[in-house]
PDB file of all heavy atoms in Angstrom:
ATOM      1  N   ARG O  74     -17.760 -34.833  35.434  1.00  0.00           N
ATOM      2  CA  ARG O  74     -18.692 -34.007  34.771  1.00  0.00           C
ATOM      3  C   ARG O  74     -20.030 -34.799  34.643  1.00  0.00           C
ATOM      4  O   ARG O  74     -21.073 -34.207  34.542  1.00  0.00           O
ATOM      5  CB  ARG O  74     -18.200 -33.540  33.437  1.00  0.00           C
ATOM      6  CG  ARG O  74     -17.207 -32.446  33.460  1.00  0.00           C
ATOM      7  CD  ARG O  74     -16.439 -32.254  32.057  1.00  0.00           C
ATOM      8  NE  ARG O  74     -17.410 -31.585  31.292  1.00  0.00           N
ATOM      9  CZ  ARG O  74     -17.473 -30.283  31.080  1.00  0.00           C
ATOM     10  NH1 ARG O  74     -16.678 -29.466  31.741  1.00  0.00           N
ATOM     11  NH2 ARG O  74     -18.291 -29.748  30.172  1.00  0.00           N
ATOM     12  N   MET O  79     -22.812 -32.046  33.669  1.00  0.00           N
ATOM     13  CA  MET O  79     -22.249 -31.054  32.799  1.00  0.00           C
ATOM     14  C   MET O  79     -21.978 -31.678  31.471  1.00  0.00           C
ATOM     15  O   MET O  79     -21.771 -30.839  30.538  1.00  0.00           O
ATOM     16  CB  MET O  79     -21.026 -30.515  33.409  1.00  0.00           C
ATOM     17  CG  MET O  79     -21.161 -29.462  34.500  1.00  0.00           C
ATOM     18  SD  MET O  79     -22.135 -28.048  33.934  1.00  0.00           S
ATOM     19  CE  MET O  79     -20.936 -27.175  33.011  1.00  0.00           C
ATOM     20  N   THR O  82     -23.951 -30.582  28.242  1.00  0.00           N
ATOM     21  CA  THR O  82     -23.746 -29.375  27.437  1.00  0.00           C
ATOM     22  C   THR O  82     -22.958 -29.880  26.070  1.00  0.00           C
ATOM     23  O   THR O  82     -22.714 -29.019  25.172  1.00  0.00           O
ATOM     24  CB  THR O  82     -22.866 -28.358  28.019  1.00  0.00           C
ATOM     25  OG1 THR O  82     -21.648 -28.928  28.490  1.00  0.00           O
ATOM     26  CG2 THR O  82     -23.557 -27.786  29.220  1.00  0.00           C
ATOM     27  N   VAL O 107     -31.278 -28.124  36.576  1.00  0.00           N
ATOM     28  CA  VAL O 107     -30.960 -26.901  37.119  1.00  0.00           C
ATOM     29  C   VAL O 107     -30.806 -27.081  38.679  1.00  0.00           C
ATOM     30  O   VAL O 107     -29.858 -26.604  39.305  1.00  0.00           O
ATOM     31  CB  VAL O 107     -31.920 -25.833  36.715  1.00  0.00           C
ATOM     32  CG1 VAL O 107     -31.779 -24.627  37.593  1.00  0.00           C
ATOM     33  CG2 VAL O 107     -31.784 -25.542  35.296  1.00  0.00           C
ATOM     34  N   ARG O 110     -27.715 -29.122  39.637  1.00  0.00           N
ATOM     35  CA  ARG O 110     -26.350 -28.370  39.628  1.00  0.00           C
ATOM     36  C   ARG O 110     -26.304 -27.371  40.858  1.00  0.00           C
ATOM     37  O   ARG O 110     -25.142 -27.073  41.206  1.00  0.00           O
ATOM     38  CB  ARG O 110     -26.255 -27.673  38.324  1.00  0.00           C
ATOM     39  CG  ARG O 110     -25.873 -28.751  37.197  1.00  0.00           C
ATOM     40  CD  ARG O 110     -25.710 -27.949  35.871  1.00  0.00           C
ATOM     41  NE  ARG O 110     -25.677 -28.938  34.793  1.00  0.00           N
ATOM     42  CZ  ARG O 110     -26.095 -28.608  33.541  1.00  0.00           C
ATOM     43  NH1 ARG O 110     -26.601 -27.482  33.329  1.00  0.00           N
ATOM     44  NH2 ARG O 110     -25.977 -29.523  32.635  1.00  0.00           N
ATOM     45  N   ALA O 111     -27.400 -26.987  41.342  1.00  0.00           N
ATOM     46  CA  ALA O 111     -27.355 -26.126  42.548  1.00  0.00           C
ATOM     47  C   ALA O 111     -27.069 -27.041  43.744  1.00  0.00           C
ATOM     48  O   ALA O 111     -26.347 -26.634  44.658  1.00  0.00           O
ATOM     49  CB  ALA O 111     -28.794 -25.666  42.741  1.00  0.00           C
ATOM     50  N   VAL O 113     -25.201 -29.995  43.371  1.00  0.00           N
ATOM     51  CA  VAL O 113     -23.892 -30.423  43.114  1.00  0.00           C
ATOM     52  C   VAL O 113     -23.114 -29.368  42.404  1.00  0.00           C
ATOM     53  O   VAL O 113     -23.129 -29.189  41.264  1.00  0.00           O
ATOM     54  CB  VAL O 113     -23.885 -31.665  42.255  1.00  0.00           C
ATOM     55  CG1 VAL O 113     -22.450 -32.385  41.998  1.00  0.00           C
ATOM     56  CG2 VAL O 113     -24.864 -32.782  42.889  1.00  0.00           C
ATOM     57  N   GLY O 114     -22.359 -28.595  43.122  1.00  0.00           N
ATOM     58  CA  GLY O 114     -21.574 -27.503  42.533  1.00  0.00           C
ATOM     59  C   GLY O 114     -20.286 -27.892  41.967  1.00  0.00           C
ATOM     60  O   GLY O 114     -19.884 -29.128  42.203  1.00  0.00           O
ATOM     61  N   MET O 115     -19.730 -27.021  41.240  1.00  0.00           N
ATOM     62  CA  MET O 115     -18.473 -27.455  40.444  1.00  0.00           C
ATOM     63  C   MET O 115     -17.482 -26.303  40.417  1.00  0.00           C
ATOM     64  O   MET O 115     -17.796 -25.126  40.285  1.00  0.00           O
ATOM     65  CB  MET O 115     -18.850 -27.836  39.038  1.00  0.00           C
ATOM     66  CG  MET O 115     -17.694 -28.463  38.298  1.00  0.00           C
ATOM     67  SD  MET O 115     -18.351 -29.353  36.864  1.00  0.00           S
ATOM     68  CE  MET O 115     -16.927 -30.434  36.473  1.00  0.00           C
ATOM     69  N   PHE O 117     -13.827 -25.295  38.426  1.00  0.00           N
ATOM     70  CA  PHE O 117     -13.179 -25.746  37.131  1.00  0.00           C
ATOM     71  C   PHE O 117     -11.591 -25.710  37.261  1.00  0.00           C
ATOM     72  O   PHE O 117     -11.070 -25.079  38.186  1.00  0.00           O
ATOM     73  CB  PHE O 117     -13.683 -24.932  35.923  1.00  0.00           C
ATOM     74  CG  PHE O 117     -15.088 -25.204  35.670  1.00  0.00           C
ATOM     75  CD1 PHE O 117     -16.099 -24.519  36.448  1.00  0.00           C
ATOM     76  CD2 PHE O 117     -15.474 -26.130  34.632  1.00  0.00           C
ATOM     77  CE1 PHE O 117     -17.415 -24.802  36.112  1.00  0.00           C
ATOM     78  CE2 PHE O 117     -16.806 -26.376  34.447  1.00  0.00           C
ATOM     79  CZ  PHE O 117     -17.822 -25.740  35.045  1.00  0.00           C
ATOM     80  N   ASN O 121     -12.616 -19.395  36.523  1.00  0.00           N
ATOM     81  CA  ASN O 121     -13.498 -18.677  35.569  1.00  0.00           C
ATOM     82  C   ASN O 121     -14.395 -17.862  36.197  1.00  0.00           C
ATOM     83  O   ASN O 121     -15.658 -17.883  36.013  1.00  0.00           O
ATOM     84  CB  ASN O 121     -14.181 -19.728  34.687  1.00  0.00           C
ATOM     85  CG  ASN O 121     -15.021 -20.561  35.471  1.00  0.00           C
ATOM     86  OD1 ASN O 121     -14.923 -20.648  36.787  1.00  0.00           O
ATOM     87  ND2 ASN O 121     -15.900 -21.385  34.793  1.00  0.00           N
ATOM     88  N   PRO O 122     -14.011 -16.819  36.920  1.00  0.00           N
ATOM     89  CA  PRO O 122     -14.933 -15.802  37.540  1.00  0.00           C
ATOM     90  C   PRO O 122     -15.586 -15.049  36.352  1.00  0.00           C
ATOM     91  O   PRO O 122     -15.023 -15.006  35.277  1.00  0.00           O
ATOM     92  CB  PRO O 122     -14.095 -14.901  38.224  1.00  0.00           C
ATOM     93  CG  PRO O 122     -12.656 -14.943  37.557  1.00  0.00           C
ATOM     94  CD  PRO O 122     -12.573 -16.341  37.222  1.00  0.00           C
ATOM     95  N   PHE O 123     -16.843 -14.689  36.553  1.00  0.00           N
ATOM     96  CA  PHE O 123     -17.609 -13.925  35.479  1.00  0.00           C
ATOM     97  C   PHE O 123     -16.932 -12.525  35.474  1.00  0.00           C
ATOM     98  O   PHE O 123     -16.460 -12.015  36.443  1.00  0.00           O
ATOM     99  CB  PHE O 123     -19.177 -13.746  35.837  1.00  0.00           C
ATOM    100  CG  PHE O 123     -19.709 -15.103  36.050  1.00  0.00           C
ATOM    101  CD1 PHE O 123     -20.533 -15.413  37.181  1.00  0.00           C
ATOM    102  CD2 PHE O 123     -19.578 -16.062  35.164  1.00  0.00           C
ATOM    103  CE1 PHE O 123     -21.167 -16.583  37.340  1.00  0.00           C
ATOM    104  CE2 PHE O 123     -20.209 -17.354  35.211  1.00  0.00           C
ATOM    105  CZ  PHE O 123     -20.991 -17.618  36.401  1.00  0.00           C
ATOM    106  N   PRO O 124     -17.022 -11.918  34.242  1.00  0.00           N
ATOM    107  CA  PRO O 124     -16.623 -10.428  34.140  1.00  0.00           C
ATOM    108  C   PRO O 124     -17.426  -9.533  34.893  1.00  0.00           C
ATOM    109  O   PRO O 124     -18.008  -8.657  34.234  1.00  0.00           O
ATOM    110  CB  PRO O 124     -16.458 -10.218  32.740  1.00  0.00           C
ATOM    111  CG  PRO O 124     -17.386 -11.224  32.015  1.00  0.00           C
ATOM    112  CD  PRO O 124     -17.516 -12.415  32.985  1.00  0.00           C
ATOM    113  N   LYS O 125     -17.649  -9.750  36.251  1.00  0.00           N
ATOM    114  CA  LYS O 125     -18.459  -8.857  36.972  1.00  0.00           C
ATOM    115  C   LYS O 125     -17.786  -8.551  38.203  1.00  0.00           C
ATOM    116  O   LYS O 125     -16.612  -9.079  38.369  1.00  0.00           O
ATOM    117  CB  LYS O 125     -19.759  -9.585  37.392  1.00  0.00           C
ATOM    118  CG  LYS O 125     -20.708 -10.062  36.275  1.00  0.00           C
ATOM    119  CD  LYS O 125     -21.794 -11.000  36.862  1.00  0.00           C
ATOM    120  CE  LYS O 125     -22.737 -11.587  35.873  1.00  0.00           C
ATOM    121  NZ  LYS O 125     -23.788 -10.683  35.518  1.00  0.00           N
ATOM    122  N   TYR O 133     -24.372 -14.076  42.242  1.00  0.00           N
ATOM    123  CA  TYR O 133     -25.034 -14.595  41.039  1.00  0.00           C
ATOM    124  C   TYR O 133     -25.978 -15.839  41.303  1.00  0.00           C
ATOM    125  O   TYR O 133     -27.102 -15.874  41.028  1.00  0.00           O
ATOM    126  CB  TYR O 133     -23.948 -15.046  40.051  1.00  0.00           C
ATOM    127  CG  TYR O 133     -24.449 -15.591  38.734  1.00  0.00           C
ATOM    128  CD1 TYR O 133     -25.141 -14.785  37.812  1.00  0.00           C
ATOM    129  CD2 TYR O 133     -24.267 -16.917  38.476  1.00  0.00           C
ATOM    130  CE1 TYR O 133     -25.571 -15.325  36.641  1.00  0.00           C
ATOM    131  CE2 TYR O 133     -24.815 -17.518  37.218  1.00  0.00           C
ATOM    132  CZ  TYR O 133     -25.363 -16.586  36.300  1.00  0.00           C
ATOM    133  OH  TYR O 133     -25.903 -17.153  35.119  1.00  0.00           O
ATOM    134  N   GLY O 134     -25.373 -16.921  42.005  1.00  0.00           N
ATOM    135  CA  GLY O 134     -26.139 -18.047  42.288  1.00  0.00           C
ATOM    136  C   GLY O 134     -27.300 -17.810  43.217  1.00  0.00           C
ATOM    137  O   GLY O 134     -28.453 -18.160  42.881  1.00  0.00           O
ATOM    138  N   LYS O 136     -28.958 -15.124  43.605  1.00  0.00           N
ATOM    139  CA  LYS O 136     -30.018 -14.432  42.946  1.00  0.00           C
ATOM    140  C   LYS O 136     -30.787 -15.356  42.027  1.00  0.00           C
ATOM    141  O   LYS O 136     -31.995 -15.256  42.002  1.00  0.00           O
ATOM    142  CB  LYS O 136     -29.317 -13.340  42.145  1.00  0.00           C
ATOM    143  CG  LYS O 136     -29.094 -12.091  42.798  1.00  0.00           C
ATOM    144  CD  LYS O 136     -28.541 -10.939  41.900  1.00  0.00           C
ATOM    145  CE  LYS O 136     -28.133  -9.696  42.508  1.00  0.00           C
ATOM    146  NZ  LYS O 136     -27.501  -8.932  41.702  1.00  0.00           N
ATOM    147  N   ILE O 137     -30.102 -16.163  41.244  1.00  0.00           N
ATOM    148  CA  ILE O 137     -30.880 -17.053  40.271  1.00  0.00           C
ATOM    149  C   ILE O 137     -31.764 -18.096  40.967  1.00  0.00           C
ATOM    150  O   ILE O 137     -32.781 -18.531  40.448  1.00  0.00           O
ATOM    151  CB  ILE O 137     -30.003 -17.599  39.089  1.00  0.00           C
ATOM    152  CG1 ILE O 137     -28.975 -18.452  39.696  1.00  0.00           C
ATOM    153  CG2 ILE O 137     -29.544 -16.549  38.199  1.00  0.00           C
ATOM    154  CD1 ILE O 137     -28.100 -19.164  38.592  1.00  0.00           C
ATOM    155  N   HIS O 138     -31.251 -18.514  42.165  1.00  0.00           N
ATOM    156  CA  HIS O 138     -32.011 -19.442  42.829  1.00  0.00           C
ATOM    157  C   HIS O 138     -32.924 -18.897  43.909  1.00  0.00           C
ATOM    158  O   HIS O 138     -33.590 -19.621  44.692  1.00  0.00           O
ATOM    159  CB  HIS O 138     -31.079 -20.481  43.506  1.00  0.00           C
ATOM    160  CG  HIS O 138     -30.423 -21.319  42.433  1.00  0.00           C
ATOM    161  ND1 HIS O 138     -30.937 -22.207  41.566  1.00  0.00           N
ATOM    162  CD2 HIS O 138     -29.012 -21.400  42.192  1.00  0.00           C
ATOM    163  CE1 HIS O 138     -30.033 -22.773  40.893  1.00  0.00           C
ATOM    164  NE2 HIS O 138     -28.905 -22.226  41.164  1.00  0.00           N
ATOM    165  N   ARG O 187     -18.123 -18.856  45.117  1.00  0.00           N
ATOM    166  CA  ARG O 187     -19.248 -18.772  44.229  1.00  0.00           C
ATOM    167  C   ARG O 187     -20.086 -20.081  44.287  1.00  0.00           C
ATOM    168  O   ARG O 187     -21.293 -20.056  44.390  1.00  0.00           O
ATOM    169  CB  ARG O 187     -18.763 -18.425  42.888  1.00  0.00           C
ATOM    170  CG  ARG O 187     -19.896 -18.175  41.937  1.00  0.00           C
ATOM    171  CD  ARG O 187     -19.348 -17.724  40.524  1.00  0.00           C
ATOM    172  NE  ARG O 187     -18.740 -18.906  39.893  1.00  0.00           N
ATOM    173  CZ  ARG O 187     -18.042 -18.825  38.715  1.00  0.00           C
ATOM    174  NH1 ARG O 187     -17.814 -17.606  38.211  1.00  0.00           N
ATOM    175  NH2 ARG O 187     -17.585 -19.810  38.058  1.00  0.00           N
ATOM    176  N   VAL O 191     -24.452 -20.999  46.860  1.00  0.00           N
ATOM    177  CA  VAL O 191     -25.752 -21.642  46.670  1.00  0.00           C
ATOM    178  C   VAL O 191     -25.951 -22.698  47.616  1.00  0.00           C
ATOM    179  O   VAL O 191     -26.976 -23.500  47.440  1.00  0.00           O
ATOM    180  CB  VAL O 191     -26.028 -22.043  45.188  1.00  0.00           C
ATOM    181  CG1 VAL O 191     -26.030 -20.845  44.228  1.00  0.00           C
ATOM    182  CG2 VAL O 191     -24.936 -22.993  44.730  1.00  0.00           C
TER     183      VAL O 191
ATOM    184  N   PRO Y 262     -25.658 -27.558  15.451  1.00  0.00           N
ATOM    185  CA  PRO Y 262     -24.661 -27.156  14.536  1.00  0.00           C
ATOM    186  C   PRO Y 262     -25.070 -27.342  13.053  1.00  0.00           C
ATOM    187  O   PRO Y 262     -24.592 -26.441  12.156  1.00  0.00           O
ATOM    188  CB  PRO Y 262     -23.487 -28.077  14.818  1.00  0.00           C
ATOM    189  CG  PRO Y 262     -23.734 -28.569  16.224  1.00  0.00           C
ATOM    190  CD  PRO Y 262     -25.209 -28.558  16.476  1.00  0.00           C
ATOM    191  N   GLN Y 340     -15.824 -20.433  26.661  1.00  0.00           N
ATOM    192  CA  GLN Y 340     -16.776 -21.472  27.146  1.00  0.00           C
ATOM    193  C   GLN Y 340     -16.809 -21.528  28.603  1.00  0.00           C
ATOM    194  O   GLN Y 340     -17.776 -22.011  29.190  1.00  0.00           O
ATOM    195  CB  GLN Y 340     -16.286 -22.785  26.524  1.00  0.00           C
ATOM    196  CG  GLN Y 340     -17.051 -23.970  26.730  1.00  0.00           C
ATOM    197  CD  GLN Y 340     -18.367 -24.003  26.112  1.00  0.00           C
ATOM    198  OE1 GLN Y 340     -18.567 -23.334  25.157  1.00  0.00           O
ATOM    199  NE2 GLN Y 340     -19.339 -24.815  26.672  1.00  0.00           N
ATOM    200  N   ALA Y 341     -15.664 -21.236  29.253  1.00  0.00           N
ATOM    201  CA  ALA Y 341     -15.474 -21.342  30.668  1.00  0.00           C
ATOM    202  C   ALA Y 341     -16.524 -20.586  31.374  1.00  0.00           C
ATOM    203  O   ALA Y 341     -17.126 -20.970  32.506  1.00  0.00           O
ATOM    204  CB  ALA Y 341     -14.154 -20.974  31.233  1.00  0.00           C
ATOM    205  N   MET Y 342     -16.963 -19.445  30.859  1.00  0.00           N
ATOM    206  CA  MET Y 342     -17.957 -18.514  31.428  1.00  0.00           C
ATOM    207  C   MET Y 342     -19.319 -19.268  31.445  1.00  0.00           C
ATOM    208  O   MET Y 342     -20.026 -19.295  32.483  1.00  0.00           O
ATOM    209  CB  MET Y 342     -18.104 -17.245  30.631  1.00  0.00           C
ATOM    210  CG  MET Y 342     -16.937 -16.265  30.693  1.00  0.00           C
ATOM    211  SD  MET Y 342     -16.661 -15.773  32.244  1.00  0.00           S
ATOM    212  CE  MET Y 342     -14.865 -15.742  32.300  1.00  0.00           C
ATOM    213  N   ARG Y 343     -19.606 -19.914  30.281  1.00  0.00           N
ATOM    214  CA  ARG Y 343     -20.925 -20.556  30.078  1.00  0.00           C
ATOM    215  C   ARG Y 343     -20.948 -21.710  31.126  1.00  0.00           C
ATOM    216  O   ARG Y 343     -21.920 -21.919  31.668  1.00  0.00           O
ATOM    217  CB  ARG Y 343     -20.927 -20.995  28.652  1.00  0.00           C
ATOM    218  CG  ARG Y 343     -22.342 -21.282  28.227  1.00  0.00           C
ATOM    219  CD  ARG Y 343     -22.435 -21.407  26.699  1.00  0.00           C
ATOM    220  NE  ARG Y 343     -23.573 -22.176  26.481  1.00  0.00           N
ATOM    221  CZ  ARG Y 343     -23.681 -23.374  25.869  1.00  0.00           C
ATOM    222  NH1 ARG Y 343     -22.554 -24.004  25.443  1.00  0.00           N
ATOM    223  NH2 ARG Y 343     -24.873 -23.966  25.708  1.00  0.00           N
ATOM    224  N   ASP Y 344     -19.903 -22.474  31.024  1.00  0.00           N
ATOM    225  CA  ASP Y 344     -19.883 -23.822  31.920  1.00  0.00           C
ATOM    226  C   ASP Y 344     -19.963 -23.215  33.310  1.00  0.00           C
ATOM    227  O   ASP Y 344     -20.619 -23.930  34.133  1.00  0.00           O
ATOM    228  CB  ASP Y 344     -18.567 -24.473  31.705  1.00  0.00           C
ATOM    229  CG  ASP Y 344     -18.517 -25.232  30.502  1.00  0.00           C
ATOM    230  OD1 ASP Y 344     -19.547 -25.359  29.885  1.00  0.00           O
ATOM    231  OD2 ASP Y 344     -17.456 -25.815  30.214  1.00  0.00           O
ATOM    232  N   GLY Y 345     -19.254 -22.162  33.770  1.00  0.00           N
ATOM    233  CA  GLY Y 345     -19.268 -21.729  35.176  1.00  0.00           C
ATOM    234  C   GLY Y 345     -20.771 -21.275  35.550  1.00  0.00           C
ATOM    235  O   GLY Y 345     -21.110 -21.748  36.652  1.00  0.00           O
ATOM    236  N   SER Y 346     -21.433 -20.718  34.616  1.00  0.00           N
ATOM    237  CA  SER Y 346     -22.908 -20.298  35.008  1.00  0.00           C
ATOM    238  C   SER Y 346     -23.781 -21.544  34.944  1.00  0.00           C
ATOM    239  O   SER Y 346     -24.608 -21.674  35.992  1.00  0.00           O
ATOM    240  CB  SER Y 346     -23.331 -19.304  33.981  1.00  0.00           C
ATOM    241  OG  SER Y 346     -24.734 -19.086  34.089  1.00  0.00           O
ATOM    242  N   LEU Y 347     -23.640 -22.443  34.057  1.00  0.00           N
ATOM    243  CA  LEU Y 347     -24.437 -23.588  34.055  1.00  0.00           C
ATOM    244  C   LEU Y 347     -24.230 -24.480  35.272  1.00  0.00           C
ATOM    245  O   LEU Y 347     -25.088 -25.003  35.890  1.00  0.00           O
ATOM    246  CB  LEU Y 347     -24.146 -24.436  32.759  1.00  0.00           C
ATOM    247  CG  LEU Y 347     -24.711 -23.694  31.481  1.00  0.00           C
ATOM    248  CD1 LEU Y 347     -24.207 -24.616  30.219  1.00  0.00           C
ATOM    249  CD2 LEU Y 347     -26.229 -23.547  31.500  1.00  0.00           C
ATOM    250  N   ALA Y 348     -22.951 -24.588  35.656  1.00  0.00           N
ATOM    251  CA  ALA Y 348     -22.551 -25.398  36.876  1.00  0.00           C
ATOM    252  C   ALA Y 348     -23.089 -24.831  38.123  1.00  0.00           C
ATOM    253  O   ALA Y 348     -23.245 -25.485  39.097  1.00  0.00           O
ATOM    254  CB  ALA Y 348     -21.015 -25.538  36.901  1.00  0.00           C
ATOM    255  N   MET Y 349     -23.451 -23.465  38.069  1.00  0.00           N
ATOM    256  CA  MET Y 349     -24.120 -22.866  39.307  1.00  0.00           C
ATOM    257  C   MET Y 349     -25.626 -23.233  39.320  1.00  0.00           C
ATOM    258  O   MET Y 349     -26.313 -22.870  40.238  1.00  0.00           O
ATOM    259  CB  MET Y 349     -24.003 -21.376  39.204  1.00  0.00           C
ATOM    260  CG  MET Y 349     -22.681 -20.729  39.186  1.00  0.00           C
ATOM    261  SD  MET Y 349     -21.755 -21.012  40.773  1.00  0.00           S
ATOM    262  CE  MET Y 349     -22.972 -20.107  41.848  1.00  0.00           C
ATOM    263  N   GLY Y 350     -26.030 -23.948  38.295  1.00  0.00           N
ATOM    264  CA  GLY Y 350     -27.523 -24.212  38.266  1.00  0.00           C
ATOM    265  C   GLY Y 350     -28.233 -23.156  37.483  1.00  0.00           C
ATOM    266  O   GLY Y 350     -29.494 -23.136  37.704  1.00  0.00           O
ATOM    267  N   ALA Y 351     -27.649 -22.277  36.720  1.00  0.00           N
ATOM    268  CA  ALA Y 351     -28.395 -21.448  35.882  1.00  0.00           C
ATOM    269  C   ALA Y 351     -28.941 -22.127  34.686  1.00  0.00           C
ATOM    270  O   ALA Y 351     -28.230 -23.024  34.205  1.00  0.00           O
ATOM    271  CB  ALA Y 351     -27.444 -20.228  35.456  1.00  0.00           C
ATOM    272  N   THR Y 352     -30.069 -21.643  34.122  1.00  0.00           N
ATOM    273  CA  THR Y 352     -30.584 -22.204  32.880  1.00  0.00           C
ATOM    274  C   THR Y 352     -29.776 -21.628  31.724  1.00  0.00           C
ATOM    275  O   THR Y 352     -29.116 -20.631  31.976  1.00  0.00           O
ATOM    276  CB  THR Y 352     -32.106 -21.895  32.712  1.00  0.00           C
ATOM    277  OG1 THR Y 352     -32.271 -20.482  32.633  1.00  0.00           O
ATOM    278  CG2 THR Y 352     -32.956 -22.557  33.745  1.00  0.00           C
ATOM    279  N   GLU Y 355     -30.777 -17.990  31.520  1.00  0.00           N
ATOM    280  CA  GLU Y 355     -30.217 -17.157  32.529  1.00  0.00           C
ATOM    281  C   GLU Y 355     -28.792 -16.924  32.284  1.00  0.00           C
ATOM    282  O   GLU Y 355     -28.227 -15.757  32.439  1.00  0.00           O
ATOM    283  CB  GLU Y 355     -30.402 -17.811  33.979  1.00  0.00           C
ATOM    284  CG  GLU Y 355     -31.817 -17.658  34.458  1.00  0.00           C
ATOM    285  CD  GLU Y 355     -31.992 -18.627  35.659  1.00  0.00           C
ATOM    286  OE1 GLU Y 355     -31.197 -19.656  35.850  1.00  0.00           O
ATOM    287  OE2 GLU Y 355     -32.963 -18.400  36.315  1.00  0.00           O
ATOM    288  N   THR Y 356     -28.103 -17.927  31.747  1.00  0.00           N
ATOM    289  CA  THR Y 356     -26.783 -17.659  31.369  1.00  0.00           C
ATOM    290  C   THR Y 356     -26.506 -16.711  30.321  1.00  0.00           C
ATOM    291  O   THR Y 356     -25.621 -15.904  30.415  1.00  0.00           O
ATOM    292  CB  THR Y 356     -26.186 -19.173  30.968  1.00  0.00           C
ATOM    293  OG1 THR Y 356     -26.366 -20.123  32.048  1.00  0.00           O
ATOM    294  CG2 THR Y 356     -24.676 -19.040  30.591  1.00  0.00           C
ATOM    295  N   ARG Y 359     -27.595 -13.138  31.820  1.00  0.00           N
ATOM    296  CA  ARG Y 359     -26.766 -12.563  32.937  1.00  0.00           C
ATOM    297  C   ARG Y 359     -25.292 -12.634  32.724  1.00  0.00           C
ATOM    298  O   ARG Y 359     -24.513 -11.930  33.337  1.00  0.00           O
ATOM    299  CB  ARG Y 359     -27.183 -13.321  34.214  1.00  0.00           C
ATOM    300  CG  ARG Y 359     -28.659 -12.949  34.679  1.00  0.00           C
ATOM    301  CD  ARG Y 359     -28.996 -13.917  35.805  1.00  0.00           C
ATOM    302  NE  ARG Y 359     -30.267 -13.530  36.354  1.00  0.00           N
ATOM    303  CZ  ARG Y 359     -30.357 -12.674  37.549  1.00  0.00           C
ATOM    304  NH1 ARG Y 359     -29.233 -12.271  38.047  1.00  0.00           N
ATOM    305  NH2 ARG Y 359     -31.491 -12.307  38.047  1.00  0.00           N
ATOM    306  N   VAL Y 360     -24.856 -13.542  31.965  1.00  0.00           N
ATOM    307  CA  VAL Y 360     -23.387 -13.687  31.746  1.00  0.00           C
ATOM    308  C   VAL Y 360     -22.872 -13.524  30.413  1.00  0.00           C
ATOM    309  O   VAL Y 360     -22.023 -12.605  30.162  1.00  0.00           O
ATOM    310  CB  VAL Y 360     -22.923 -15.309  32.284  1.00  0.00           C
ATOM    311  CG1 VAL Y 360     -21.488 -15.306  31.961  1.00  0.00           C
ATOM    312  CG2 VAL Y 360     -23.185 -15.427  33.659  1.00  0.00           C
ATOM    313  N   PRO Y 363     -23.930  -9.688  28.954  1.00  0.00           N
ATOM    314  CA  PRO Y 363     -23.188  -8.691  29.576  1.00  0.00           C
ATOM    315  C   PRO Y 363     -21.640  -8.748  29.152  1.00  0.00           C
ATOM    316  O   PRO Y 363     -21.042  -7.712  28.863  1.00  0.00           O
ATOM    317  CB  PRO Y 363     -23.383  -8.918  31.080  1.00  0.00           C
ATOM    318  CG  PRO Y 363     -24.666  -9.605  31.133  1.00  0.00           C
ATOM    319  CD  PRO Y 363     -24.802 -10.364  29.967  1.00  0.00           C
ATOM    320  N   ALA Y 364     -21.219 -10.031  29.026  1.00  0.00           N
ATOM    321  CA  ALA Y 364     -19.813 -10.165  28.662  1.00  0.00           C
ATOM    322  C   ALA Y 364     -19.557  -9.677  27.299  1.00  0.00           C
ATOM    323  O   ALA Y 364     -18.486  -9.108  26.950  1.00  0.00           O
ATOM    324  CB  ALA Y 364     -19.310 -11.547  28.972  1.00  0.00           C
ATOM    325  N   TYR Y 459     -10.546 -10.461  26.278  1.00  0.00           N
ATOM    326  CA  TYR Y 459     -10.548 -11.870  26.337  1.00  0.00           C
ATOM    327  C   TYR Y 459      -9.437 -12.542  25.681  1.00  0.00           C
ATOM    328  O   TYR Y 459      -9.381 -13.722  25.352  1.00  0.00           O
ATOM    329  CB  TYR Y 459     -11.904 -12.441  25.628  1.00  0.00           C
ATOM    330  CG  TYR Y 459     -13.056 -12.175  26.552  1.00  0.00           C
ATOM    331  CD1 TYR Y 459     -13.981 -11.234  26.225  1.00  0.00           C
ATOM    332  CD2 TYR Y 459     -13.191 -12.764  27.734  1.00  0.00           C
ATOM    333  CE1 TYR Y 459     -15.070 -10.968  27.031  1.00  0.00           C
ATOM    334  CE2 TYR Y 459     -14.266 -12.519  28.680  1.00  0.00           C
ATOM    335  CZ  TYR Y 459     -15.175 -11.568  28.266  1.00  0.00           C
ATOM    336  OH  TYR Y 459     -16.234 -11.383  29.059  1.00  0.00           O
TER     337      TYR Y 459
END
Side-chain angles (χ1 to χ4, degrees):
Chain O
R74 289 168 70 93
M79 278 303 282
T82 60
V107 168
R110 289 181 189 147
V113 183
M115 189 163 195
F117 294 82
N121 59 348
F123 302 131
K125 300 168 180 277
Y133 181 73
K136 273 186 186 168
I137 58 176
H138 294 296
R187 186 174 74 185
V191 293
Chain Y
Q340 179 70 22
M342 295 294 142
R343 197 168 163 241
D344 282 353
S346 173
L347 292 174
M349 297 291 301
T352 62
E355 284 163 344
T356 301
R359 290 168 171 265
V360 176
Y459 290 113

